[in-house]
Amino acid sequence: MATQLKNYAQGQWIAGAGKGMPLYHAITGEHIYTAGSEGLDFKGMHDYARSTGGRALRKMSFHERARMIKALALFLNEKKKDLYAISAATGATKGDSWIDIDGGIGNLFVYASKGRRELPDETFLVDGQLEKISKNGTFAGHHICVPLEGVAVHINAFNFPVWGMLEKIAVNFLAGMPAIVKPASATSYLTEAAVRQIVESGILPEGALQLICGSAGDLLDHLDCQDVVTFTGSAETGKMLKRHPSIVEHSIRFNMEADSLNCSILGPDAEPGTEEFNLFVRELSREITIKAGQKCTAIRRAIVPKHLTEAVAAAVSDKLKNTVIGDPSVEGVRMGPLAHKGQVADVKAKVKQLLGACEVVYGDLDAVNVVGADSERGSFMSSMLLLCNEPFRHREPHEVEAFGPVSTLMPYANADEAAELARMGKGSLVGSVFTNDNRFAKTLVLGAASMHGRMMIVNRECAAESTGHGSPLPHLVHGGPGRAGGGEEMGGVRGVHHYMQRTALQGSPTTLSHILNVYLPGAAITEDRIHPFRKYFEELAIGETLITHKRTVTEADVVNFAGISGDFFYAHTDETSLEGSIFERRVAHGYFVISAAAGLFVDPKKGPVLANYGLDNLRFVQPVYPGDTLQVKLTCMRKTKKDKRDDQVPQGVVEWYVEVLNQRNEVVALETVLTLVACKE
């Protein structure tokens, strides 16, 4: 009996009404699951996400959300064996499943780390720097990013049922938005299993995540300008969704990652026998066979020097010939079936279109030898390498994507031709260049980057640690222009902004400081008779300022600092060499100035300040000469509490805005000093 998949809606597991859609085992062809969403209250799901999940997430700070995401990653990491077992039914090899499952969990870990390290311990994000928009500085501008008060609707593809969900929800959760996930039905059973684990964990707030296994029904009808829709799949479906009346009427943010005729380019220096030639052959072969070529980032067009075409064709054919196709549970099998029979039919139809402009170098469209399985019952097909000898005359290789184990070789005569061929894909997620010639690499990147979301340059120097052509990373943007959908996701903290509203604020620096919880230059300050370095983390207030005593710089200071530091730059030591320079006379070292500033503001006694943690944004504004008198304004600018560790005193990071002034009250240096300060608790 096939298992009925359930939807997770409004905090309940609900089976769809009606017959539903039958889902089949990719290897055996057996009917194993039924998916359906008929009868779901889609408006209720939307309202529940916004009123329950969204409200809870928005109350959490970035750091709290990051800790939540890390806890979820740790939980799923312990449970992933169960997902691997289910993943086998999709036709995935163990390596394929690793990309999908461990790759998805890895995204959670990365965003948990970035949330703690790169975002503030606030519910909002201060964006950019203070903008001075008035003569006297009493009226200023700044930008703030706040979470959208809607829901992120993720409509995902069949090829990565776990990664496709986790890479997206990691970002919207960190931003403070709930999600409704609608995976492609064919492999939705694996997504359902992952969501069951997430719900079981109890880590997410109620309403933060809901799941639809089947049609999205009228869900999009209920969205408005506070919602976000992301789509991964075919360009045709994406364009249809993008034209949905609600999306158009409410200007709903829509991020699409669609078909992509990604290319990989072999440099003319990469002759047979070179490391780059071997690396290219291996990468192309892997991209054809990993996930049976069902990757949005797979190499569809292999652009090679004309004189190396035959050598590449022979080498890749040998690799494919030695790649065993069949049941991935059988020892030695390196490529499994496609996800379902419909996908096989679609890929074969696309190959037939390509054959109008190409010839077959390797593979058989009508037959495939498999190990441990029945090629007729399962969704198997042969890996295929095609050759288009006239890629500038034929459009098919640049317009038709066979979303399976298929790639097309195409020759070029020079670097300009290679770049033009790369651009002819009209927008790709990724392009790669295999060369040890940095001049060629630069020509290709600058000539093709406008049509690519990511470009990878590989040579013998970096190959051992390369993550591969087809691997999107959470640190870097994933998306592409034109045909690839025109969208962008991940990219580290950049991705978080897609789920937030950036708002310009205008007002007095004091008011803006109060709103943003960060001291802004020109805002009102407070002073206290107690030195700020004598105060614990909790006792310090934003805007609290120490105005120090003064110190006059002497010739001896300059000479002594040169001797101690070893910095005998002429401007500090040789007054006879200053003609034509920017200095009037011998000048004090900039690093002496900030050292002297530290001497002015530091309280020397042991107290709550544990250590100097760093120095940011140092600027030397104007020269300091012997005879000038220095004074410092030290202001508490921002506070961030650190996670408590058993082996560590409870503490936080305090950022101090430091202004070094001369006797004319002119700023000579600016810096942000970071200190570790003990908590009182």
Side-chain angles (χ1 to χ4, degrees):
M1 288 287 291
T3 301
Q4 174 74 50
L5 297 180
K6 291 187 177 180
N7 307 276
Y8 190 63
Q10 296 174 266
Q12 302 291 325
W13 286 102
I14 303 170
K19 285 186 175 182
M21 176 187 293
L23 309 181
Y24 300 95
H25 198 292
I27 300 168
T28 66
E30 178 188 359
H31 178 196
I32 50 175
Y33 295 100
T34 299
S37 59
E38 189 178 341
L40 287 184
D41 177 4
F42 293 104
K43 183 180 185 303
M45 292 178 69
H46 176 260
D47 294 345
Y48 182 70
R50 295 181 68 157
S51 63
T52 304
R55 186 170 297 163
L57 287 168
R58 290 194 300 275
K59 287 180 180 178
M60 301 168 71
S61 72
F62 284 111
H63 288 197
E64 289 171 326
R65 296 173 203 147
R67 286 190 283 268
M68 174 190 76
I69 294 168
K70 182 178 181 180
L72 183 59
L74 290 168
F75 183 87
L76 292 177
N77 207 43
E78 290 296 316
K79 297 280 188 176
K80 65 186 178 184
K81 284 185 179 179
D82 294 338
L83 298 180
Y84 270 80
I86 298 169
S87 178
T90 70
T93 64
K94 186 176 181 180
D96 296 339
S97 296
W98 181 86
I99 296 170
D100 186 29
I101 297 166
D102 281 88
I105 295 170
N107 268 56
L108 295 177
F109 277 119
V110 168
Y111 270 95
S113 176
K114 284 190 169 291
R116 285 285 291 113
R117 294 173 183 273
E118 299 178 28
L119 294 172
D121 194 13
E122 300 280 4
T123 58
F124 57 86
L125 175 63
V126 178
D127 184 45
Q129 302 298 320
L130 181 73
E131 299 288 347
K132 295 180 180 179
I133 54 177
S134 63
K135 182 177 180 180
N136 297 317
T138 60
F139 187 64
H142 217 305
H143 291 88
I144 187 174
C145 294
V146 297
L148 291 169
E149 296 189 5
V151 58
V153 177
H154 299 310
I155 303 172
N156 295 335
F158 69 86
N159 52 340
F160 289 106
V162 177
W163 180 88
M165 172 178 67
L166 296 185
E167 63 100 355
K168 292 181 179 180
I169 66 173
V171 188
N172 66 252
F173 286 162
L174 186 57
M177 280 190 82
I180 297 175
V181 176
K182 187 261 176 271
S185 297
T187 53
S188 57
Y189 51 88
L190 183 52
T191 311
E192 191 228 43
V195 172
R196 283 190 178 276
Q197 291 185 354
I198 293 171
V199 173
E200 175 195 336
S201 75
I203 292 168
L204 300 182
E206 192 63 56
L209 179 64
Q210 298 180 81
L211 173 71
I212 300 170
C213 290
S215 167
D218 65 353
L219 175 62
L220 299 187
D221 294 340
H222 307 295
L223 306 187
D224 65 26
C225 66
Q226 289 293 298
D227 300 306
V228 176
V229 177
T230 74
F231 170 76
T232 302
S234 73
E236 184 179 345
T237 303
K239 290 173 185 175
M240 177 191 72
L241 292 172
K242 200 171 185 177
R243 293 192 296 266
H244 190 282
S246 288
I247 290 174
V248 175
E249 180 180 350
H250 299 294
S251 299
I252 294 170
R253 299 184 190 188
F254 185 88
N255 190 82
M256 181 165 70
E257 186 235 291
D259 305 343
S260 180
L261 287 158
N262 312 293
C263 69
S264 187
I265 302 165
L266 181 66
D269 60 300
E271 297 279 348
T274 63
E275 291 184 55
E276 286 70 31
F277 181 90
N278 295 335
L279 290 166
F280 177 83
V281 168
R282 184 175 67 182
E283 192 73 4
L284 177 54
S285 304
R286 281 167 45 85
E287 288 296 314
I288 292 172
T289 57
I290 290 176
K291 288 289 287 185
Q294 300 167 111
K295 295 199 311 177
C296 56
T297 54
I299 298 171
R300 304 300 178 197
R301 300 178 301 141
I303 301 170
V304 301
K306 189 173 293 185
H307 72 282
L308 297 179
T309 304
E310 288 187 15
V312 171
V316 175
S317 295
D318 284 343
K319 286 277 189 183
L320 297 178
K321 192 181 301 180
N322 292 317
T323 301
V324 179
I325 301 172
D327 182 345
S329 67
V330 177
E331 185 70 28
V333 170
R334 292 293 176 266
M335 183 178 122
L338 277 66
H340 55 90
K341 289 279 191 180
Q343 187 61 23
V344 175
D346 181 73
V347 173
K348 288 185 175 182
K350 296 294 175 59
V351 171
K352 288 178 180 177
Q353 286 182 254
L354 289 170
L355 289 178
C358 306
E359 61 185 81
V360 176
V361 173
Y362 176 84
D364 190 328
L365 192 58
D366 300 314
V368 56
N369 293 320
V370 302
V371 173
D374 185 331
S375 63
E376 295 298 321
R377 293 176 61 84
S379 303
F380 295 96
M381 76 168 284
S382 169
S383 56
M384 300 195 71
L385 181 66
L386 310 180
L387 170 64
C388 178
N389 272 313
E390 297 181 282
F392 289 102
R393 192 166 74 87
H394 296 288
R395 305 299 306 175
E396 291 90 338
H398 311 295
E399 295 180 351
V400 177
E401 181 183 22
F403 199 76
V406 182
S407 189
T408 301
L409 292 173
M410 49 189 71
Y412 71 88
N414 53 53
D416 289 339
E417 281 196 5
E420 185 177 350
L421 286 171
R423 293 193 300 269
M424 287 174 70
K426 295 183 179 178
S428 300
L429 296 172
V430 57
S432 57
V433 184
F434 286 74
T435 180
N436 201 37
D437 181 342
N438 289 331
R439 288 175 300 179
F440 178 81
K442 182 176 181 178
T443 298
L444 260 295
V445 169
L446 297 182
S450 64
M451 283 290 190
H452 291 79
R454 173 169 62 92
M455 294 201 74
M456 182 184 78
I457 304 94
V458 181
N459 58 23
R460 63 197 69 179
E461 185 179 340
C462 67
E465 293 190 307
S466 166
T467 51
H469 167 101
S471 299
L473 299 177
H475 317 71
L476 304 175
V477 294
H478 178 51
R483 182 188 177 93
E488 183 181 289
E489 58 193 29
M490 298 194 294
V493 172
R494 295 175 188 84
V496 176
H497 288 261
H498 298 321
Y499 300 95
M500 307 190 82
Q501 175 61 44
R502 181 182 289 106
T503 302
L505 304 180
Q506 294 172 282
S508 76
T510 301
T511 300
L512 296 182
S513 289
H514 183 78
I515 293 170
L516 302 177
N517 205 24
V518 58
Y519 171 76
L520 300 173
I525 60 172
T526 60
E527 296 182 73
D528 195 341
R529 61 182 179 82
I530 301 173
H531 193 288
F533 278 25
R534 309 305 304 165
K535 295 186 176 184
Y536 287 95
F537 181 82
E538 298 90 340
E539 296 171 333
L540 287 165
I542 301 299
E544 184 173 339
T545 299
L546 170 71
I547 300 177
T548 71
H549 58 285
K550 299 177 180 180
R551 169 178 178 165
T552 299
V553 179
T554 67
E555 293 276 359
D557 289 330
V558 179
V559 172
N560 290 336
F561 192 83
I564 292 170
S565 66
D567 180 356
F568 292 97
F569 185 64
Y570 78 92
H572 310 307
T573 58
D574 184 3
E575 194 143 3
T576 64
S577 300
L578 295 177
E579 185 178 350
S581 75
I582 62 172
F583 302 111
E584 300 170 5
R585 51 197 172 94
R586 197 157 57 144
V587 66
H589 301 72
Y591 294 111
F592 166 76
V593 172
I594 62 169
S595 298
L600 290 171
F601 68 69
V602 166
D603 184 279
K605 296 177 183 178
K606 185 177 181 179
V609 175
L610 304 172
N612 187 331
Y613 192 58
L615 183 66
D616 290 338
N617 306 315
L618 173 61
R619 292 291 183 274
F620 299 117
V621 180
Q622 59 176 300
V624 173
Y625 299 106
D628 284 345
T629 298
L630 303 180
Q631 187 177 34
V632 177
K633 286 176 66 176
L634 176 80
T635 304
C636 179
M637 183 171 72
R638 182 186 283 116
K639 297 165 54 181
T640 305
K641 193 169 183 180
K642 297 189 73 176
D643 288 339
K644 189 174 181 180
R645 289 170 48 180
D646 293 338
D647 61 342
Q648 202 175 64
V649 175
Q651 59 194 248
V653 177
V654 178
E655 298 175 46
W656 304 91
Y657 183 69
V658 179
E659 299 169 272
V660 186
L661 310 169
N662 63 17
Q663 67 274 18
R664 295 179 293 277
N665 208 36
E666 299 166 336
V667 175
V668 298
L670 294 168
E671 60 178 332
T672 303
V673 172
L674 287 73
T675 58
L676 292 177
V677 181
C679 295
K680 194 172 185 179
E681 60 191 46

